[in-house]
Amino acid sequence: MDRRLCGAFVASVCWIACCHSDGAVVEFPDVSPCRALTSGPHEHLLASYYGINSWDRSQRYITVLRTDVKGRIPTEDDPATLALVDVRTKEFIPLTQTRAWNFQQGCMAHWLGTAPDSQIIYNDFRNGRFVSVVMDVHTKRELKVIDHPVSAVSPDGKEAVSINFARLRITRPDYGYGGDGQDARRNVQFPQDDGLFLVDLETGQARCLVSIAQVRPLVPEVPAEGIEYFNHTLFSRDGSKIFWLARAIPNRNTTSLTVNRDGSNLQRCFPDGWGGSHFDWLDGDRLMVTAAYEAKVYGHILFTVGQTDYQRLGNGLLDYDGHGTFSPDGKWMVTDTYPAGALREQKLYLMDMQTQAVLPLGRFVQPPEVKDGWRCDLHPRWSPRGDSIAFNSTYTGSRQVYVFDLTW
């Protein structure tokens, strides 16, 4: 199938309903045809990891990166342009450049909860250091430079989580940054002075919430030649807890962890062998993580932190590793797939949380040359009102940003 046609497959009918096995009728939204917000000749991607809000509160603007890097992982010598795109007119509005970015997570741009219509925070590489920068997007004026890169921002915009992106560069290169902007501590398996840091965005001060050494009793044994590292952090929706993954090289053992915002109640999410991969908070206590259910079947697992009420979502239709994320009202989950089959199709699905009925939104072919650290996951995320879903795709031959609009 011509890859230009693959993205045209959507459930675009005026009213979509299905009968669930218990007799309940599920009313799915009207889904618009997929529309592009960006186009070539440049490559574009959403400026943060999946599940992170990319829109301002009015949903007029969305944060993106523009680059001409192709076929490789970017280095500190490859600046990308951080910009806004006007969702209505598709106008590209350059803000600044950053040298701390990658194709998987962009520059981790977040709209700050204290000023969601004007201020963002993003990562950069300056004077040999990884930092985060607070900017007013309308005046394009820098308001503050913080001496710590961010990997997650609290819902109130007052604090952030910071991890070691230089250590990531040597353990998971496509998620780290080039330039040695932090001490990677490459010769220490479980450092005492590195880990999960909580940053006060007002003062710029940071404290180590959980050290890598602290999780040693909770994770699998690391071979003599390996090192443990942290990645993939996210605050709960009420800001009370933080989720993240502890992993190791060379075997990439994974442990899913949570901790309270004050550093108390550090705990694993799953029993041995379940691991973990992608994630989102449904509320302040319930969390979805893609993991190996009972160490046997990989799927989207919903549970309450500290309890063992594990539930496989999707009635068997979502038994794979996808980037699942919940709508702002918690009624829906959107998730994706990795390229599969001879066509290398990536698919988007919408699931009703009450009945777990699943609706396919679209399928997109990823060209074979898009792979490894330069790969393009769909990485869906919701708009603040829950009426749009944005994602990245290469189905037209270049990396661009797309949106589905939903109407109930």
Side-chain angles (χ1 to χ4, degrees):
M1 185 180 295
D2 189 317
R3 65 171 173 248
R4 292 172 297 176
L5 301 179
C6 290
F9 170 74
V10 295
S12 56
V13 297
C14 293
W15 182 77
I16 306 168
C18 67
C19 185
H20 191 251
S21 58
D22 63 3
V25 174
V26 182
E27 296 185 13
F28 283 101
D30 177 21
V31 184
S32 74
C34 170
R35 60 189 180 96
L37 293 184
T38 61
S39 59
H42 305 287
E43 305 274 299
H44 297 89
L45 63 149
L46 291 157
S48 57
Y49 199 33
Y50 85 96
I52 296 172
N53 174 46
S54 295
W55 284 263
D56 71 329
R57 182 182 292 168
S58 72
Q59 296 189 187
R60 178 70 183 268
Y61 301 104
I62 195 168
T63 53
V64 303
L65 289 181
R66 169 180 283 181
T67 180
D68 291 318
V69 175
K70 292 187 176 183
R72 60 178 176 84
I73 296 174
T75 73
E76 67 276 20
D77 297 320
D78 294 309
T81 299
L82 175 61
L84 299 180
V85 169
D86 188 317
V87 176
R88 301 175 193 170
T89 66
K90 300 183 183 180
E91 179 187 4
F92 184 85
I93 307 169
L95 298 176
T96 187
Q97 288 192 324
T98 175
R99 294 192 294 149
W101 68 280
N102 54 55
F103 284 109
Q104 286 298 299
Q105 297 182 326
C107 59
M108 293 304 287
H110 289 73
W111 291 90
L112 289 180
T114 52
D117 285 325
S118 62
Q119 292 182 19
I120 61 170
I121 187 169
Y122 67 93
N123 291 337
D124 200 1
F125 178 65
R126 299 186 179 184
N127 302 316
R129 293 282 300 168
F130 298 144
V131 299
S132 56
V133 182
V134 177
M135 166 180 279
D136 185 303
V137 298
H138 299 303
T139 65
K140 302 183 183 181
R141 184 170 65 94
E142 288 186 6
L143 304 178
K144 187 180 302 183
V145 178
I146 297 170
D147 195 31
H148 304 276
V150 299
S151 62
V153 174
S154 61
D156 60 13
K158 295 181 179 180
E159 293 180 311
V161 169
S162 183
I163 56 176
N164 193 328
F165 286 92
R167 192 172 179 89
L168 272 177
R169 191 66 165 191
I170 63 175
T171 55
R172 193 80 192 278
D174 46 341
Y175 285 87
Y177 304 144
D180 294 325
Q182 292 168 278
D183 180 0
R185 298 164 176 82
R186 64 177 62 233
N187 296 320
V188 185
Q189 276 196 327
F190 289 88
Q192 294 274 3
D193 58 348
D194 192 18
L196 197 73
F197 289 84
L198 190 66
V199 183
D200 185 320
L201 295 182
E202 179 62 33
T203 66
Q205 298 300 306
R207 64 186 181 93
C208 186
L209 204 63
V210 180
S211 72
I212 298 177
Q214 195 174 341
V215 307
R216 187 166 193 164
L218 304 177
V219 302
E221 184 177 352
V222 177
E225 69 277 15
I227 62 174
E228 190 81 11
Y229 65 97
F230 288 173
N231 195 12
H232 298 321
T233 66
L234 188 66
F235 282 90
S236 59
R237 295 205 177 195
D238 63 359
S240 66
K241 302 176 185 67
I242 300 165
F243 168 87
W244 80 103
L245 298 180
R247 284 177 163 165
I249 58 170
N251 47 15
R252 200 178 165 187
N253 289 330
T254 300
T255 304
S256 301
L257 298 166
T258 62
V259 70
N260 290 347
R261 190 167 173 168
D262 62 4
S264 64
N265 200 26
L266 170 65
Q267 59 183 305
R268 295 192 307 172
C269 296
F270 300 121
D272 290 336
W274 289 38
S277 184
H278 301 110
F279 50 90
D280 194 23
W281 290 92
L282 182 57
D283 49 38
D285 297 295
R286 288 179 296 170
L287 179 63
M288 186 284 300
V289 182
T290 54
Y293 182 78
E294 295 184 347
K296 297 175 183 177
V297 179
Y298 219 90
H300 296 64
I301 313 301
L302 181 68
F303 63 99
T304 300
V305 172
Q307 300 182 19
T308 58
D309 55 338
Y310 301 113
Q311 177 187 13
R312 281 167 56 199
L313 297 177
N315 295 312
L317 295 178
L318 303 182
D319 287 347
Y320 59 84
D321 185 11
H323 301 89
T325 182
F326 298 113
S327 60
D329 62 8
K331 294 181 179 180
W332 305 90
M333 183 180 77
V334 64
T335 191
D336 62 0
T337 70
Y338 285 106
L343 287 179
R344 288 175 54 83
E345 288 184 338
Q346 297 169 285
K347 300 176 182 179
L348 276 176
Y349 293 107
L350 181 68
M351 190 191 77
D352 172 56
M353 287 297 295
Q354 183 176 359
T355 64
Q356 298 187 42
V358 175
L359 176 74
L361 295 180
R363 50 192 173 95
F364 308 85
V365 169
Q366 186 168 108
E369 64 270 19
V370 182
K371 58 184 179 180
D372 302 326
W374 188 56
R375 74 186 187 278
C376 182
D377 299 337
L378 297 182
H379 282 175
R381 74 275 324 269
W382 293 86
S383 64
R385 291 195 297 267
D387 55 1
S388 294
I389 296 170
F391 61 100
N392 302 310
S393 178
T394 53
Y395 83 91
T396 61
S398 64
R399 187 186 308 257
Q400 303 299 336
V401 176
Y402 298 88
V403 168
F404 283 118
D405 296 314
L406 312 180
T407 305
W408 278 268

